[in-house]
Amino acid sequence: KELLQNVKRGLSEIATAKNQLKFRKHELELDIPKLERQAKQCIEQGNEPLAKAALERKNSANEQAKSLTEQIAKLEIEENKLIEASKVLEMKLDQLKSTKETVKAQYTAAKASVQINESLSGLGDEAGNIGKALEDAKDKTEQMNAKSSAITELTDAGVLNDSLGGNQNSIDRELSKMDSKNAVDSELWKLKRQTMLKNNDLDFFKK
């Protein structure tokens, strides 16, 4: 952009110089016929030296005008070159600006893509953690179901009832033994009674 400004500044300077040269050429072109008239008047008046001086000035003005014409032509060539250069430069700057905007848009899109991928990665990790938690919960549930089934089987087999009954089962067993012993004693007494009745042993009943 600074280069383009320098080119435009150069164009402005060339235009100024060209206008100055054109103005000076125009002045010389006005002086040429004027000096020619003055030389004629001097000849008519018989003043040849003055007429010669006027003609010399006329020829000098004419040479200067030609030189200025050449300089103006050269400046115009340089001016046209700078104009073309400025057009090319402006085109390249526009292209650079367009490319910059494209790259900027691509960068924005790439940045958004990275953010999306990072978010998806985070979701993947979170989903993995949830999946692991579900697997752990499933394992614990299976363990609890297995334990429950084992307890049910042991209970049905009567094994667990004894271990779970504790002191209550011990009391029940003692009472059962007492009942069994009493039943045996009662039956034994009945047998003895029948035997004694059969043998007429009355002393047994006195006991």
Side-chain angles (χ1 to χ4, degrees):
K1 190 173 182 180
E2 183 178 357
L3 180 59
L4 180 61
Q5 291 177 349
N6 291 335
V7 171
K8 289 183 177 180
R9 190 180 300 112
L11 283 172
S12 177
E13 291 175 355
I14 288 176
T16 300
K18 186 176 70 171
N19 289 333
Q20 291 175 349
L21 293 176
K22 284 183 175 181
F23 180 76
R24 178 55 183 162
K25 177 187 174 184
H26 180 66
E27 288 181 337
L28 291 171
E29 288 174 345
L30 292 177
D31 287 340
I32 290 172
K34 179 180 178 182
L35 291 170
E36 187 176 359
R37 287 195 301 271
Q38 289 177 349
K40 287 180 179 180
Q41 289 176 358
C42 290
I43 291 295
E44 291 175 357
Q45 295 174 2
N47 192 347
E48 186 176 340
L50 189 58
K52 183 178 179 180
L55 291 175
E56 288 175 351
R57 287 182 61 187
K58 172 197 166 186
N59 291 335
S60 176
N62 196 21
E63 292 295 329
Q64 291 181 40
K66 289 180 180 179
S67 177
L68 290 176
T69 300
E70 293 176 357
Q71 292 180 32
I72 291 171
K74 290 180 180 180
L75 285 178
E76 288 178 346
I77 292 173
E78 295 297 324
E79 184 180 27
N80 291 331
K81 288 181 179 180
L82 284 178
I83 291 173
E84 292 299 322
S86 66
K87 290 180 180 179
V88 172
L89 188 57
E90 285 181 353
M91 186 181 300
K92 288 184 177 180
L93 287 174
D94 290 340
Q95 184 179 359
L96 180 62
K97 182 178 179 181
S98 176
T99 302
K100 182 179 179 181
E101 293 298 326
T102 301
V103 171
K104 183 179 179 181
Q106 291 174 343
Y107 171 78
T108 302
K111 184 178 180 181
S113 178
V114 169
Q115 291 176 345
I116 291 172
N117 290 333
E118 288 178 350
S119 299
L120 292 177
S121 177
L123 290 176
D125 294 339
E126 185 175 352
N129 293 334
I130 293 174
K132 187 177 183 302
L134 290 176
E135 287 294 330
D136 292 342
K138 181 180 178 182
D139 292 340
K140 290 181 179 179
T141 301
E142 291 177 352
Q143 291 176 3
M144 293 298 295
N145 289 336
K147 185 176 181 180
S148 176
S149 299
I151 292 174
T152 300
E153 291 177 0
L154 292 174
T155 301
D156 294 341
V159 175
L160 194 61
N161 287 334
D162 292 341
S163 63
L164 292 177
N167 294 333
Q168 184 64 38
N169 286 343
S170 297
I171 294 172
D172 290 340
R173 284 195 294 271
E174 291 297 327
L175 292 175
S176 178
K177 288 180 180 179
M178 290 177 63
D179 291 339
S180 179
K181 184 176 181 299
N182 290 334
V184 171
D185 291 342
S186 176
E187 289 181 3
L188 181 61
W189 187 84
K190 288 180 181 180
L191 289 174
K192 287 182 178 181
R193 181 173 177 273
Q194 291 174 358
T195 302
M196 293 303 164
L197 286 175
K198 185 177 180 180
N199 295 329
N200 293 321
D201 188 358
L202 296 178
D203 292 335
F204 174 79
F205 295 100
K206 293 179 180 179
K207 293 179 181 181

